[in-house]
Amino acid sequence: MLKIYSTFLLFGLLFLLSCKKEAVKDDGYTDPALGIPQTQIDSIRKAEDQKQVLLKKVSYQTDSASSVEIMLPVSNYVKEYSFSPGINLTDPQKTTETKDETTYTQGLNIQNDFSDSSSDEVVLIGQSNNPDVFPVSDIKEFNETEKILSEDKNSLLYIDAFGHKKLYYRQYVPATKTYYLYIAEVPKYNSEKLQYAALYSIYSKAKHLLSFDKEALPENLTWEKVKPGISEVELKNYNIYYNSLQKELKYFLKNNDSTEIRKDHFDLYLYRDNPHTQKAMDQTALIADSNFSGHFEDLPFENHLISGYFSGKFSNDDLFAFVRRLSSNSILVSAKNDSGYVNDTTEYFIISSIKTPKGQFYLISSTNKDGNDMTALMNDYFSKHLKI
């Protein structure tokens, strides 16, 4: 009898435990505002928190005499923002501000290569004697928060009535009486997981906005080091274009044919160079070995530069020069309009050599004067591995 009772008790306990597990599993789905289980959201947040994001200092000239400086991931940049932020900072029903709260003096739009022209990531910077200016409590009062994901004294992450995931993050520097407000709304991607990954990636970005002691040394930047810290959304976008180049290399480009991808801060120009293939010639090596500096028309070999990538930008009598080797596959070059004006109009470009069984290819992009922006890092890596 005791044995039967023990067996019954054991089955009862197992049944209760299974019900408990099932309850936990289904809990995330009982709240339609979340879209996915809370456990998945927690996992996504943890993954974003653990990323080692490489930062750079970004300066923005506000006028002829002053500028602002912030820290951003190396793949981000800023431009002036002139529109209203997507979150109400004060009561929208009132037009007056309290005497302690000044309006923001500078609005910066935070973007990456795939942001829209008016990105929904904004940093507002202003002065106030009040260290608690624009508190989180006001944001909750003046904005409809369908579901609060997390909040503390300086941050609020929430979902509004339309399912948009939003972030508000404030920092105040007493020494300069300056406040920084990071306001963001995540675009509605098809994947809920991707939306949360984007949200927590932006949250990490906001927390590092003033981390001036964590600047990555430019000379140490490589795609291998930068890639683990790139947001999932941004990385997916980059992969779309480089996967396209991969297919062009394998199947589509014919002799002296080319393909081009252009965005505001991102360009890729790939061409197959049949004469160089036949002559076992690498133009990047020839430019580097000769330390070339002269006019485009004086380049000592047949090339596809002026008729291809540089078409419309420069002419045969404009200046072209080797700057330095970036790697065994890539070189940094400069080009300048030889108009005789004093103003420096020098632009910089990376040229990467790609050798495959199907022929000699060159991948060209604009870059910065150090040849270490995101596109240059990816182009160099792609030229060696045919993927990023």
Side-chain angles (χ1 to χ4, degrees):
M1 183 70 181
L2 182 62
K3 185 176 180 181
I4 294 172
Y5 177 77
S6 299
T7 303
F8 176 79
L9 183 62
L10 178 63
F11 276 112
L13 286 171
L14 290 173
F15 175 76
L16 289 173
L17 287 172
S18 66
C19 289
K20 186 177 181 181
K21 284 184 179 179
E22 191 65 30
V24 171
K25 181 179 178 182
D26 287 344
D27 185 58
Y29 290 104
T30 60
D31 190 341
L34 291 177
I36 59 175
Q38 182 65 54
T39 52
Q40 287 191 28
I41 297 172
D42 294 340
S43 177
I44 291 169
R45 177 171 184 164
K46 183 178 179 181
E48 290 299 326
D49 284 344
Q50 290 176 341
K51 285 185 177 181
Q52 298 298 310
V53 181
L54 296 183
L55 302 170
K56 66 179 179 183
K57 185 185 293 183
V58 177
S59 297
Y60 189 88
Q61 198 78 25
T62 56
D63 54 46
S64 59
S66 59
S67 63
V68 296
E69 292 184 338
I70 56 176
M71 296 293 288
L72 291 175
V74 296
S75 62
N76 281 226
Y77 53 91
V78 302
K79 73 173 190 175
E80 188 172 7
Y81 190 82
S82 59
F83 304 98
S84 299
I87 291 179
N88 294 315
L89 301 178
T90 56
D91 189 343
Q93 303 303 319
K94 296 180 181 179
T95 57
T96 59
E97 305 244 353
T98 66
K99 62 180 179 180
D100 288 327
E101 295 174 352
T102 61
T103 56
Y104 56 85
T105 57
Q106 185 65 47
L108 300 182
N109 195 183
I110 309 300
Q111 297 195 313
N112 59 49
D113 292 325
F114 300 98
S115 301
D116 293 330
S117 57
S118 56
S119 170
D120 289 323
E121 289 183 53
V122 184
V123 178
L124 305 179
I125 305 171
Q127 302 288 133
S128 176
N129 293 321
N130 178 11
D132 298 317
V133 65
F134 301 123
V136 168
S137 58
D138 281 0
I139 306 305
K140 290 169 62 178
E141 181 180 354
F142 304 135
N143 298 272
E144 188 173 356
T145 55
E146 182 77 11
K147 181 71 176 180
I148 293 177
L149 299 169
S150 69
E151 74 171 290
D152 56 33
K153 181 183 178 182
N154 293 314
S155 67
L156 179 69
L157 284 77
Y158 68 95
I159 302 172
D160 69 11
F162 299 98
H164 297 116
K165 295 166 183 64
K166 296 186 176 182
L167 171 142
Y168 173 78
Y169 188 87
R170 64 182 297 279
Q171 293 190 66
Y172 184 83
V173 181
T176 59
K177 297 183 179 180
T178 305
Y179 62 82
Y180 300 79
L181 310 179
Y182 204 120
I183 299 170
E185 179 180 317
V186 176
K188 277 229 170 184
Y189 305 111
N190 292 332
S191 165
E192 287 280 358
K193 293 180 182 178
L194 207 56
Q195 289 184 43
Y196 282 108
L199 177 67
Y200 290 115
S201 174
I202 296 170
Y203 185 34
S204 173
K205 195 186 307 184
K207 289 188 290 185
H208 287 106
L209 200 66
L210 302 179
S211 299
F212 295 108
D213 59 331
K214 296 182 179 180
E215 186 171 13
L217 297 175
E219 59 269 23
N220 291 338
L221 294 179
T222 63
W223 177 237
E224 294 93 325
K225 292 180 181 179
V226 173
K227 182 180 178 180
I230 298 294
S231 72
E232 187 176 348
V233 175
E234 195 174 348
L235 191 57
K236 281 181 179 292
N237 279 319
Y238 283 130
N239 267 310
I240 288 172
Y241 292 108
Y242 283 92
N243 287 344
S244 175
L245 293 185
Q246 216 174 5
K247 293 176 182 177
E248 296 281 0
L249 284 169
K250 288 182 180 179
Y251 307 114
F252 303 116
L253 287 188
K254 307 304 179 185
N255 294 343
N256 304 322
D257 200 2
S258 64
T259 186
E260 187 169 18
I261 297 167
R262 282 188 183 273
K263 291 185 71 68
D264 287 347
H265 288 263
F266 179 74
D267 60 35
L268 300 167
Y269 182 86
L270 177 72
Y271 75 90
R272 180 177 180 175
D273 194 36
N274 194 47
H276 290 187
T277 299
Q278 294 174 342
K279 299 172 184 177
M281 199 174 98
D282 182 349
Q283 75 174 28
T284 61
L286 287 171
I287 293 171
D289 292 345
S290 66
N291 197 25
F292 181 84
S293 179
H295 297 99
F296 275 96
E297 62 188 358
D298 296 328
L299 280 164
F301 54 86
E302 183 181 356
N303 67 84
H304 193 62
L305 296 177
I306 280 294
S307 61
Y309 178 77
F310 293 100
S311 176
K313 298 180 180 181
F314 300 97
S315 58
N316 279 327
D317 56 356
D318 284 333
L319 300 175
F320 179 85
F322 169 74
V323 178
R324 66 183 179 90
R325 264 204 176 279
L326 298 174
S327 73
S328 57
N329 287 60
S330 303
I331 60 173
L332 178 66
V333 300
S334 68
K336 182 178 181 180
N337 186 294
D338 191 22
S339 60
Y341 291 111
V342 176
N343 291 338
D344 185 10
T345 57
T346 303
E347 296 180 53
Y348 295 88
F349 306 89
I350 176 176
I351 304 178
S352 298
S353 173
I354 303 174
K355 296 180 177 66
T356 77
K358 293 179 72 77
Q360 170 70 53
F361 297 82
Y362 296 106
L363 180 59
I364 307 176
S365 290
S366 60
T367 183
N368 56 27
K369 63 183 179 64
D370 298 311
N372 62 0
D373 66 358
M374 286 292 291
T375 309
L377 298 180
M378 287 186 291
N379 279 13
D380 183 52
Y381 188 88
F382 182 83
S383 68
K384 299 169 187 172
H385 306 282
L386 304 187
K387 64 179 181 179
I388 60 166

